[in-house]
Amino acid sequence: GMQSIGARLRGRGGVRYIYYLENDQKQLVENTYTQVRPERSFTLLEDVDCPAVLAEQCFVTNDEDVEHFGSEQGCKAVARIYYEAICTYFGTEPLPVK
């Protein structure tokens, strides 16, 4: 849904993972990477007892992203896409846009 409002997907299908190495250096891996890593990645996602997704709709250091998603209209559009994705996950019908 994010592509429909102007977001560019980064990585393969828009999914990438970042791991931090011992020297605080970042290692970026694609979603096809299957090696099980001993270090934790995002505690927020690992310590929950329910389905969880960490979403990042824009980079505040990217002028184009800020232009698309930094306004009230942009935030509302992103919130709607997240809402519709959650409805899809639970198999419910989203309420119409007001």
Side-chain angles (χ1 to χ4, degrees):
M2 292 295 291
Q3 285 180 299
S4 70
I5 60 170
R8 290 183 307 110
L9 295 180
R10 296 163 175 102
R12 170 169 271 174
V15 179
R16 288 180 155 186
Y17 299 92
I18 295 176
Y19 293 95
Y20 290 90
L21 306 176
E22 291 176 13
N23 58 3
D24 288 332
Q25 200 172 24
K26 292 180 185 178
Q27 180 184 27
L28 185 68
V29 297
E30 300 294 337
N31 66 344
T32 54
Y33 184 82
T34 58
Q35 178 183 346
V36 176
R37 307 281 303 225
E39 67 271 9
R40 297 169 64 86
S41 56
F42 293 102
T43 301
L44 173 72
L45 299 179
E46 294 173 347
D47 291 342
V48 296
D49 294 327
C50 65
V53 173
L54 181 61
E56 187 174 65
Q57 73 258 18
C58 75
F59 294 95
V60 296
T61 55
N62 181 304
D63 292 339
E64 186 179 327
D65 282 358
V66 171
E67 184 179 324
H68 273 99
F69 308 112
S71 67
E72 183 175 344
Q73 179 183 350
C75 288
K76 286 181 178 182
V78 170
R80 180 68 191 190
I81 288 170
Y82 290 161
Y83 167 68
E84 289 175 359
I86 292 166
C87 289
T88 298
Y89 178 84
F90 286 109
T92 60
E93 189 66 31
L95 296 172
V97 177
K98 290 184 180 184

